């Protein structure tokens, strides 16, 4: 599929999508609000950063986006190469590095992680933050990551592993009935995209193979294309020393439900508590995970 014209069309559409993504007031995300981010991701993000800092100094970030993480750890002394599909995002990452005064410790490259060849034995640490679930050729990329790490190098990932069908159906129902920033009329229109929302990884891959990905995510054909396959792909080539699942379900409503400001963060903390409780009772797996792995 990789060299085919169809792949080129899809990946160009994907790059355009990521270059154009903007804040949507009807569909706010947790990471748009620092207080919500702290509640749902704060602890795990700090652990992620701590592990990366412990392994530097030469770091590669996969799917670095606008360079937020790369620039943050470059500011703490690491030398970071960031790779992202979107030329626009890479340009913004370079500007961010300039403004933060770390341009000499960062390098940003626009490239496709599905097809890239990484240099051998170059990095002490490879990291991915919320990026691997968009990678179609996850197995191939894991091989490249393994080759690019120095002996004893670490692979540190904070990513999305999907919610599972039962929880997705429940999320769709609750989203439809709860008061959200998206008005009910707009939500009614969303029913046409229900199939895409409920599709699991296998269904998405089949749709792409059959040339029917447009029936799922037209603008972002590789949206969540890898979810449950990320950890097995890592385990095949690395020894996993830390695996921490979190945010199985309730996090989904953290930024979306419309509440008076005074209640918003109290409800968010309750949702996080409910998610931790679900995990403790093993009623759901984490939709997110933090993982540290080392070269075999
Ligand atoms: C959810 S964003 C996360 C960005 C950043 N890591 C962060 O946490 O802010 C996913 C990123 O993966 C990038 N991406 C998606 N497919 C890619 C590919 N095939 N090759 C390289 N980057 C890709 C997107 O351009 C986007 O910047």
């Amino acid at each position: 599929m990789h060299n085919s014209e169809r792949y080129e069309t899809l990946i160009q559409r994907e790059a355009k999508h990521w270059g154009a993504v903007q804040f949507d007031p009807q569909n706010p995300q947790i990471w748009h609000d620092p207080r919500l981010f702290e509640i749902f991701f704060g602890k795990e993000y700090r652990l992620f950063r701590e592990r990366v800092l412990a392994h530097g100094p030469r770091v590669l970030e996969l799917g670095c986006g606008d360079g937020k993480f790369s620039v943050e750890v470059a500011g703490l002394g690491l030398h970071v190469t960031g790779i992202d599909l979107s030329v626009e995002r890479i340009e913004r990452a370079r500007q961010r590095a300039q403004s933060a005064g770390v341009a000499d410790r960062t390098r940003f490259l626009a490239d496709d992680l599905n097809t890239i060849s990484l240099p051998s034995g170059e990095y002490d640490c490879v990291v991915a933050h919320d990026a691997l679930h968009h990678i179609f050729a996850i197995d191939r990329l894991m091989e490249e990551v393994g080759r690019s790490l120095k002996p004893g190098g670490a692979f540190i990932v904070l990513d999305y592993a999907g919610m599972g069908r039962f929880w997705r159906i429940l999320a769709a129902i609750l989203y439809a009935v709860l008061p959200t920033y998206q008005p009910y009329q707009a939500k009614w229109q969303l029913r046409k995209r229900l199939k895409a929302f409920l599709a699991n990884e296998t269904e998405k891959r089949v749709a792409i193979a059959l040339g029917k990905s447009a029936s799922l995510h037209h603008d972002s054909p590789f949206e969540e294309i890898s979810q449950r396959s990320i950890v097995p792909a890592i385990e095949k080539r690395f020894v996993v020393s830390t695996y921490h699942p979190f945010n199985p379900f309730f996090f989904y409503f953290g930024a979306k439900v419309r509440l008076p400001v005074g209640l918003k963060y109290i409800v968010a903390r309750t949702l996080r508590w409910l998610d931790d409780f679900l995990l403790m009772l093993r009623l759901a797996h984490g939709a997110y995970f933090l993982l540290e792995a080392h070269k075999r």
Side-chain angles (χ1 to χ4, degrees):
M1 154 92 162
H2 282 124
N3 297 323
S4 72
E5 241 173 72
R6 179 139 53 87
Y7 178 75
E8 279 310 313
T9 312
L10 296 182
I11 202 71
Q12 277 171 25
R13 205 185 294 159
E14 186 78 18
K16 193 171 160 206
H17 162 79
W18 284 110
V21 167
Q22 275 182 353
F23 173 71
D24 175 357
Q26 285 199 5
N27 188 22
Q29 307 290 333
I30 288 170
W31 47 91
H32 291 139
D33 179 336
R35 282 180 75 183
L36 285 182
F37 186 84
E38 176 56 33
I39 291 167
F40 291 104
F41 290 95
K43 191 174 63 173
E44 285 77 14
Y45 182 80
R46 276 189 292 280
L47 209 55
F48 174 75
R49 186 181 52 198
E50 201 179 281
R51 297 314 302 151
V52 176
L53 290 172
H55 285 287
R58 290 185 67 81
V59 175
L60 169 67
E61 185 181 5
L62 308 172
C64 64
D66 298 347
K68 187 175 171 294
F69 182 75
S70 290
V71 168
E72 185 180 340
V73 290
L76 296 169
L78 303 188
H79 289 259
V80 189
T81 300
I83 298 176
D84 200 275
L85 181 64
S86 158
V87 175
E88 290 85 355
R89 286 188 164 221
I90 285 297
E91 193 41 49
R92 277 180 247 146
R94 287 185 186 133
Q95 284 165 13
R96 189 192 285 267
Q98 281 283 355
S99 314
V102 295
D104 57 332
R105 283 205 293 282
T106 52
R107 202 162 63 107
F108 290 104
L109 311 168
D111 211 328
D112 178 4
L113 292 171
N114 288 310
T115 53
I116 199 166
S117 293
L118 295 172
S120 298
E122 181 85 2
Y123 301 105
D124 300 293
C125 183
V126 176
V127 304
H129 184 267
D130 205 19
L132 295 182
H133 61 285
H134 303 293
I135 304 305
F136 178 73
I138 192 78
D139 258 327
R140 182 190 179 280
L141 178 61
M142 292 307 101
E143 206 161 306
E144 288 298 313
V145 169
R147 211 164 41 72
S148 74
L149 278 170
K150 292 179 184 171
F155 185 31
I156 300 173
V157 179
L158 192 160
D159 224 298
Y160 181 69
M163 276 200 274
R165 181 90 77 189
F166 169 79
W167 296 104
R168 271 175 189 270
I169 293 172
L170 192 57
I173 295 169
L174 289 177
Y175 187 72
V177 298
L178 290 171
T180 57
Y181 289 97
Q182 196 149 39
Y184 285 104
Q185 205 181 0
K187 286 196 277 190
W188 177 240
Q189 296 305 318
L190 275 184
R191 72 191 187 283
K192 295 170 199 146
R193 285 171 46 196
L194 190 60
K195 192 175 156 205
F197 181 74
L198 297 181
N200 63 25
E201 175 169 346
T202 308
E203 287 157 347
K204 284 172 199 264
R205 286 184 182 272
V206 168
I208 285 183
L210 297 175
K212 291 184 177 164
S213 64
S215 66
L216 296 178
H217 292 280
H218 184 266
D219 297 336
S220 173
F222 298 112
E223 178 71 35
E224 298 177 10
I225 189 67
S226 286
Q227 301 174 21
R228 306 299 290 277
S229 61
I230 302 173
V231 175
I234 294 173
E235 281 172 333
K236 223 192 272 179
R237 288 186 185 78
F238 301 87
V239 178
V240 174
S241 56
T242 303
Y243 175 71
H244 168 70
F246 64 107
N247 285 351
F249 174 67
F250 290 101
F251 77 96
Y252 184 76
F253 302 97
K256 299 191 192 302
V257 176
R258 190 159 30 152
L259 291 164
V261 181
L263 269 185
K264 187 173 177 179
Y265 301 107
I266 297 170
V267 169
R269 271 190 286 276
T270 310
L271 293 175
R272 173 77 210 227
W273 182 85
L274 285 170
D275 261 348
D276 290 346
F277 195 59
L278 271 187
L279 273 185
M280 200 182 79
L281 296 182
R282 296 176 190 270
L283 290 174
H285 65 82
Y288 281 87
F289 64 90
L290 169 66
L291 174 154
E292 176 169 343
H294 294 264
K295 250 180 114 156
R296 278 188 199 280

PDB file of all heavy atoms in Angstrom, residues 11 14 18 61-65 83-86 89 111-114 129-131 133-135, ligand 1:
ATOM      1  N   ILE A  11      -2.217  10.052   2.585  1.00  0.00           N
ATOM      2  CA  ILE A  11      -1.265  10.676   3.521  1.00  0.00           C
ATOM      3  C   ILE A  11      -1.210  12.190   3.284  1.00  0.00           C
ATOM      4  O   ILE A  11      -1.014  12.959   4.231  1.00  0.00           O
ATOM      5  CB  ILE A  11       0.132   9.995   3.471  1.00  0.00           C
ATOM      6  CG1 ILE A  11       0.908  10.258   4.767  1.00  0.00           C
ATOM      7  CG2 ILE A  11       0.948  10.422   2.267  1.00  0.00           C
ATOM      8  CD1 ILE A  11       0.419   9.559   5.978  1.00  0.00           C
ATOM      9  N   GLU A  14      -4.087  13.501   5.129  1.00  0.00           N
ATOM     10  CA  GLU A  14      -3.772  13.457   6.562  1.00  0.00           C
ATOM     11  C   GLU A  14      -2.885  14.657   6.966  1.00  0.00           C
ATOM     12  O   GLU A  14      -3.138  15.323   7.971  1.00  0.00           O
ATOM     13  CB  GLU A  14      -3.042  12.139   6.865  1.00  0.00           C
ATOM     14  CG  GLU A  14      -2.762  11.859   8.317  1.00  0.00           C
ATOM     15  CD  GLU A  14      -3.971  11.356   9.093  1.00  0.00           C
ATOM     16  OE1 GLU A  14      -4.944  10.892   8.480  1.00  0.00           O
ATOM     17  OE2 GLU A  14      -3.942  11.474  10.334  1.00  0.00           O
ATOM     18  N   TRP A  18      -3.740  17.780   9.651  1.00  0.00           N
ATOM     19  CA  TRP A  18      -2.972  18.147  10.847  1.00  0.00           C
ATOM     20  C   TRP A  18      -2.461  19.575  10.770  1.00  0.00           C
ATOM     21  O   TRP A  18      -2.364  20.265  11.781  1.00  0.00           O
ATOM     22  CB  TRP A  18      -1.832  17.152  11.086  1.00  0.00           C
ATOM     23  CG  TRP A  18      -2.368  15.880  11.648  1.00  0.00           C
ATOM     24  CD1 TRP A  18      -2.436  14.667  11.016  1.00  0.00           C
ATOM     25  CD2 TRP A  18      -2.971  15.689  12.924  1.00  0.00           C
ATOM     26  NE1 TRP A  18      -3.037  13.738  11.829  1.00  0.00           N
ATOM     27  CE2 TRP A  18      -3.377  14.340  13.002  1.00  0.00           C
ATOM     28  CE3 TRP A  18      -3.220  16.522  14.009  1.00  0.00           C
ATOM     29  CZ2 TRP A  18      -4.003  13.817  14.133  1.00  0.00           C
ATOM     30  CZ3 TRP A  18      -3.839  15.998  15.130  1.00  0.00           C
ATOM     31  CH2 TRP A  18      -4.226  14.657  15.181  1.00  0.00           C
ATOM     32  N   GLU A  61      11.819  12.798  19.038  1.00  0.00           N
ATOM     33  CA  GLU A  61      10.370  12.780  19.304  1.00  0.00           C
ATOM     34  C   GLU A  61       9.606  12.473  18.017  1.00  0.00           C
ATOM     35  O   GLU A  61       9.726  13.186  17.010  1.00  0.00           O
ATOM     36  CB  GLU A  61       9.864  14.103  19.900  1.00  0.00           C
ATOM     37  CG  GLU A  61       8.381  13.913  20.256  1.00  0.00           C
ATOM     38  CD  GLU A  61       7.653  15.103  20.837  1.00  0.00           C
ATOM     39  OE1 GLU A  61       8.213  16.198  20.921  1.00  0.00           O
ATOM     40  OE2 GLU A  61       6.463  14.905  21.175  1.00  0.00           O
ATOM     41  N   LEU A  62       8.778  11.418  18.082  1.00  0.00           N
ATOM     42  CA  LEU A  62       7.961  11.001  16.921  1.00  0.00           C
ATOM     43  C   LEU A  62       6.618  11.740  16.963  1.00  0.00           C
ATOM     44  O   LEU A  62       5.966  11.755  18.005  1.00  0.00           O
ATOM     45  CB  LEU A  62       7.708   9.494  16.985  1.00  0.00           C
ATOM     46  CG  LEU A  62       8.932   8.589  17.147  1.00  0.00           C
ATOM     47  CD1 LEU A  62       8.494   7.145  17.399  1.00  0.00           C
ATOM     48  CD2 LEU A  62       9.805   8.651  15.896  1.00  0.00           C
ATOM     49  N   GLY A  63       6.215  12.338  15.865  1.00  0.00           N
ATOM     50  CA  GLY A  63       4.929  13.047  15.824  1.00  0.00           C
ATOM     51  C   GLY A  63       4.933  14.221  16.787  1.00  0.00           C
ATOM     52  O   GLY A  63       4.031  14.372  17.618  1.00  0.00           O
ATOM     53  N   CYS A  64       5.948  15.081  16.661  1.00  0.00           N
ATOM     54  CA  CYS A  64       6.188  16.148  17.661  1.00  0.00           C
ATOM     55  C   CYS A  64       5.194  17.297  17.564  1.00  0.00           C
ATOM     56  O   CYS A  64       5.175  18.169  18.428  1.00  0.00           O
ATOM     57  CB  CYS A  64       7.606  16.682  17.517  1.00  0.00           C
ATOM     58  SG  CYS A  64       7.883  17.484  15.911  1.00  0.00           S
ATOM     59  N   GLY A  65       4.373  17.338  16.504  1.00  0.00           N
ATOM     60  CA  GLY A  65       3.393  18.417  16.364  1.00  0.00           C
ATOM     61  C   GLY A  65       4.050  19.784  16.341  1.00  0.00           C
ATOM     62  O   GLY A  65       5.055  20.001  15.657  1.00  0.00           O
ATOM     63  N   ILE A  83      10.122  14.972  14.668  1.00  0.00           N
ATOM     64  CA  ILE A  83       9.647  14.657  13.313  1.00  0.00           C
ATOM     65  C   ILE A  83       8.129  14.715  13.296  1.00  0.00           C
ATOM     66  O   ILE A  83       7.472  14.181  14.207  1.00  0.00           O
ATOM     67  CB  ILE A  83      10.119  13.253  12.880  1.00  0.00           C
ATOM     68  CG1 ILE A  83      11.651  13.204  12.850  1.00  0.00           C
ATOM     69  CG2 ILE A  83       9.540  12.879  11.505  1.00  0.00           C
ATOM     70  CD1 ILE A  83      12.224  11.842  12.524  1.00  0.00           C
ATOM     71  N   ASP A  84       7.579  15.344  12.281  1.00  0.00           N
ATOM     72  CA  ASP A  84       6.114  15.381  12.146  1.00  0.00           C
ATOM     73  C   ASP A  84       5.748  15.428  10.660  1.00  0.00           C
ATOM     74  O   ASP A  84       6.490  15.951   9.833  1.00  0.00           O
ATOM     75  CB  ASP A  84       5.516  16.593  12.868  1.00  0.00           C
ATOM     76  CG  ASP A  84       4.035  16.397  13.147  1.00  0.00           C
ATOM     77  OD1 ASP A  84       3.209  16.691  12.249  1.00  0.00           O
ATOM     78  OD2 ASP A  84       3.691  15.924  14.254  1.00  0.00           O
ATOM     79  N   LEU A  85       4.563  14.878  10.383  1.00  0.00           N
ATOM     80  CA  LEU A  85       4.088  14.816   9.004  1.00  0.00           C
ATOM     81  C   LEU A  85       3.769  16.200   8.440  1.00  0.00           C
ATOM     82  O   LEU A  85       3.932  16.454   7.245  1.00  0.00           O
ATOM     83  CB  LEU A  85       2.815  13.959   8.998  1.00  0.00           C
ATOM     84  CG  LEU A  85       2.117  13.709   7.683  1.00  0.00           C
ATOM     85  CD1 LEU A  85       3.009  12.915   6.736  1.00  0.00           C
ATOM     86  CD2 LEU A  85       0.813  12.936   7.912  1.00  0.00           C
ATOM     87  N   SER A  86       3.311  17.091   9.309  1.00  0.00           N
ATOM     88  CA  SER A  86       2.795  18.377   8.838  1.00  0.00           C
ATOM     89  C   SER A  86       3.895  19.440   8.739  1.00  0.00           C
ATOM     90  O   SER A  86       4.524  19.787   9.745  1.00  0.00           O
ATOM     91  CB  SER A  86       1.692  18.847   9.791  1.00  0.00           C
ATOM     92  OG  SER A  86       1.516  20.229   9.691  1.00  0.00           O
ATOM     93  N   ARG A  89       3.100  22.370  11.018  1.00  0.00           N
ATOM     94  CA  ARG A  89       3.396  22.130  12.438  1.00  0.00           C
ATOM     95  C   ARG A  89       4.900  22.205  12.697  1.00  0.00           C
ATOM     96  O   ARG A  89       5.338  22.730  13.721  1.00  0.00           O
ATOM     97  CB  ARG A  89       2.851  20.762  12.861  1.00  0.00           C
ATOM     98  CG  ARG A  89       1.348  20.812  12.979  1.00  0.00           C
ATOM     99  CD  ARG A  89       0.770  19.546  13.578  1.00  0.00           C
ATOM    100  NE  ARG A  89      -0.583  19.851  13.982  1.00  0.00           N
ATOM    101  CZ  ARG A  89      -1.179  19.450  15.094  1.00  0.00           C
ATOM    102  NH1 ARG A  89      -0.555  18.675  15.937  1.00  0.00           N
ATOM    103  NH2 ARG A  89      -2.402  19.800  15.380  1.00  0.00           N
ATOM    104  N   ASP A 111       8.438  14.772   7.944  1.00  0.00           N
ATOM    105  CA  ASP A 111       8.593  13.475   7.272  1.00  0.00           C
ATOM    106  C   ASP A 111       7.444  12.560   7.680  1.00  0.00           C
ATOM    107  O   ASP A 111       6.724  12.845   8.646  1.00  0.00           O
ATOM    108  CB  ASP A 111       9.943  12.837   7.652  1.00  0.00           C
ATOM    109  CG  ASP A 111      10.498  11.987   6.512  1.00  0.00           C
ATOM    110  OD1 ASP A 111       9.687  11.408   5.756  1.00  0.00           O
ATOM    111  OD2 ASP A 111      11.727  11.916   6.387  1.00  0.00           O
ATOM    112  N   ASP A 112       7.298  11.461   6.947  1.00  0.00           N
ATOM    113  CA  ASP A 112       6.217  10.516   7.198  1.00  0.00           C
ATOM    114  C   ASP A 112       6.769   9.320   7.982  1.00  0.00           C
ATOM    115  O   ASP A 112       7.631   8.589   7.475  1.00  0.00           O
ATOM    116  CB  ASP A 112       5.648  10.069   5.839  1.00  0.00           C
ATOM    117  CG  ASP A 112       4.543   9.045   5.990  1.00  0.00           C
ATOM    118  OD1 ASP A 112       4.157   8.730   7.135  1.00  0.00           O
ATOM    119  OD2 ASP A 112       4.064   8.553   4.937  1.00  0.00           O
ATOM    120  N   LEU A 113       6.263   9.120   9.189  1.00  0.00           N
ATOM    121  CA  LEU A 113       6.771   8.030  10.033  1.00  0.00           C
ATOM    122  C   LEU A 113       6.364   6.653   9.516  1.00  0.00           C
ATOM    123  O   LEU A 113       6.881   5.647   9.985  1.00  0.00           O
ATOM    124  CB  LEU A 113       6.276   8.209  11.477  1.00  0.00           C
ATOM    125  CG  LEU A 113       6.863   9.420  12.212  1.00  0.00           C
ATOM    126  CD1 LEU A 113       6.139   9.641  13.543  1.00  0.00           C
ATOM    127  CD2 LEU A 113       8.360   9.239  12.458  1.00  0.00           C
ATOM    128  N   ASN A 114       5.467   6.587   8.551  1.00  0.00           N
ATOM    129  CA  ASN A 114       5.103   5.301   7.958  1.00  0.00           C
ATOM    130  C   ASN A 114       6.181   4.789   7.014  1.00  0.00           C
ATOM    131  O   ASN A 114       6.271   3.591   6.751  1.00  0.00           O
ATOM    132  CB  ASN A 114       3.796   5.415   7.168  1.00  0.00           C
ATOM    133  CG  ASN A 114       2.603   5.569   8.080  1.00  0.00           C
ATOM    134  OD1 ASN A 114       2.433   4.800   9.017  1.00  0.00           O
ATOM    135  ND2 ASN A 114       1.786   6.586   7.812  1.00  0.00           N
ATOM    136  N   HIS A 129       4.439  11.192  22.081  1.00  0.00           N
ATOM    137  CA  HIS A 129       3.377  11.698  22.948  1.00  0.00           C
ATOM    138  C   HIS A 129       2.115  11.871  22.117  1.00  0.00           C
ATOM    139  O   HIS A 129       2.057  12.737  21.239  1.00  0.00           O
ATOM    140  CB  HIS A 129       3.809  13.046  23.566  1.00  0.00           C
ATOM    141  CG  HIS A 129       2.806  13.591  24.537  1.00  0.00           C
ATOM    142  ND1 HIS A 129       1.812  14.465  24.175  1.00  0.00           N
ATOM    143  CD2 HIS A 129       2.638  13.346  25.858  1.00  0.00           C
ATOM    144  CE1 HIS A 129       1.081  14.748  25.240  1.00  0.00           C
ATOM    145  NE2 HIS A 129       1.563  14.092  26.263  1.00  0.00           N
ATOM    146  N   ASP A 130       1.133  10.996  22.342  1.00  0.00           N
ATOM    147  CA  ASP A 130      -0.159  11.117  21.666  1.00  0.00           C
ATOM    148  C   ASP A 130      -0.012  11.094  20.141  1.00  0.00           C
ATOM    149  O   ASP A 130      -0.692  11.845  19.440  1.00  0.00           O
ATOM    150  CB  ASP A 130      -0.813  12.443  22.107  1.00  0.00           C
ATOM    151  CG  ASP A 130      -2.326  12.400  21.987  1.00  0.00           C
ATOM    152  OD1 ASP A 130      -2.887  11.299  21.916  1.00  0.00           O
ATOM    153  OD2 ASP A 130      -2.951  13.478  21.947  1.00  0.00           O
ATOM    154  N   ALA A 131       0.850  10.258  19.624  1.00  0.00           N
ATOM    155  CA  ALA A 131       1.138  10.286  18.183  1.00  0.00           C
ATOM    156  C   ALA A 131       1.054   8.918  17.504  1.00  0.00           C
ATOM    157  O   ALA A 131       0.636   8.834  16.345  1.00  0.00           O
ATOM    158  CB  ALA A 131       2.529  10.878  17.951  1.00  0.00           C
ATOM    159  N   HIS A 133      -0.910   6.422  17.627  1.00  0.00           N
ATOM    160  CA  HIS A 133      -2.197   5.878  17.178  1.00  0.00           C
ATOM    161  C   HIS A 133      -2.600   6.388  15.793  1.00  0.00           C
ATOM    162  O   HIS A 133      -3.604   5.947  15.237  1.00  0.00           O
ATOM    163  CB  HIS A 133      -3.308   6.101  18.219  1.00  0.00           C
ATOM    164  CG  HIS A 133      -3.602   7.522  18.537  1.00  0.00           C
ATOM    165  ND1 HIS A 133      -2.788   8.309  19.314  1.00  0.00           N
ATOM    166  CD2 HIS A 133      -4.655   8.315  18.195  1.00  0.00           C
ATOM    167  CE1 HIS A 133      -3.320   9.513  19.443  1.00  0.00           C
ATOM    168  NE2 HIS A 133      -4.452   9.542  18.762  1.00  0.00           N
ATOM    169  N   HIS A 134      -1.807   7.312  15.240  1.00  0.00           N
ATOM    170  CA  HIS A 134      -2.072   7.774  13.867  1.00  0.00           C
ATOM    171  C   HIS A 134      -1.172   7.075  12.848  1.00  0.00           C
ATOM    172  O   HIS A 134      -1.230   7.388  11.662  1.00  0.00           O
ATOM    173  CB  HIS A 134      -1.833   9.280  13.770  1.00  0.00           C
ATOM    174  CG  HIS A 134      -2.674  10.065  14.737  1.00  0.00           C
ATOM    175  ND1 HIS A 134      -4.037  10.138  14.636  1.00  0.00           N
ATOM    176  CD2 HIS A 134      -2.338  10.773  15.844  1.00  0.00           C
ATOM    177  CE1 HIS A 134      -4.507  10.873  15.634  1.00  0.00           C
ATOM    178  NE2 HIS A 134      -3.503  11.258  16.379  1.00  0.00           N
ATOM    179  N   ILE A 135      -0.316   6.169  13.329  1.00  0.00           N
ATOM    180  CA  ILE A 135       0.663   5.548  12.428  1.00  0.00           C
ATOM    181  C   ILE A 135       0.119   4.242  11.864  1.00  0.00           C
ATOM    182  O   ILE A 135      -0.166   3.290  12.603  1.00  0.00           O
ATOM    183  CB  ILE A 135       2.013   5.317  13.157  1.00  0.00           C
ATOM    184  CG1 ILE A 135       2.527   6.651  13.722  1.00  0.00           C
ATOM    185  CG2 ILE A 135       3.032   4.685  12.213  1.00  0.00           C
ATOM    186  CD1 ILE A 135       2.668   7.788  12.722  1.00  0.00           C
TER     187      ILE A 135
HETATM  188  C1  LIG B   1      -2.522  14.346  18.415  1.00  0.00           C
HETATM  189  S1  LIG B   1      -1.189  15.139  17.596  1.00  0.00           S
HETATM  190  C2  LIG B   1       0.031  15.158  18.891  1.00  0.00           C
HETATM  191  C3  LIG B   1       1.130  16.154  18.657  1.00  0.00           C
HETATM  192  C4  LIG B   1       2.152  16.275  19.807  1.00  0.00           C
HETATM  193  N1  LIG B   1       2.887  15.060  19.997  1.00  0.00           N
HETATM  194  C5  LIG B   1       1.440  16.713  21.066  1.00  0.00           C
HETATM  195  O1  LIG B   1       1.270  15.875  21.963  1.00  0.00           O
HETATM  196  O2  LIG B   1       1.040  17.877  21.158  1.00  0.00           O
HETATM  197  C6  LIG B   1      -0.593  13.857  16.501  1.00  0.00           C
HETATM  198  C7  LIG B   1       0.583  14.280  15.652  1.00  0.00           C
HETATM  199  O3  LIG B   1       1.017  13.177  14.855  1.00  0.00           O
HETATM  200  C8  LIG B   1       1.397  13.662  13.587  1.00  0.00           C
HETATM  201  N2  LIG B   1       1.330  12.575  12.594  1.00  0.00           N
HETATM  202  C9  LIG B   1       0.220  11.915  12.175  1.00  0.00           C
HETATM  203  N3  LIG B   1       0.565  11.004  11.228  1.00  0.00           N
HETATM  204  C10 LIG B   1       1.914  11.098  11.065  1.00  0.00           C
HETATM  205  C11 LIG B   1       2.851  10.436  10.206  1.00  0.00           C
HETATM  206  N4  LIG B   1       2.463   9.491   9.353  1.00  0.00           N
HETATM  207  N5  LIG B   1       4.152  10.804  10.280  1.00  0.00           N
HETATM  208  C12 LIG B   1       4.556  11.773  11.154  1.00  0.00           C
HETATM  209  N6  LIG B   1       3.719  12.431  11.983  1.00  0.00           N
HETATM  210  C13 LIG B   1       2.406  12.094  11.936  1.00  0.00           C
HETATM  211  C14 LIG B   1       0.388  14.767  13.308  1.00  0.00           C
HETATM  212  O4  LIG B   1       0.817  15.671  12.314  1.00  0.00           O
HETATM  213  C15 LIG B   1       0.246  15.405  14.684  1.00  0.00           C
HETATM  214  O5  LIG B   1       1.108  16.484  14.861  1.00  0.00           O
END
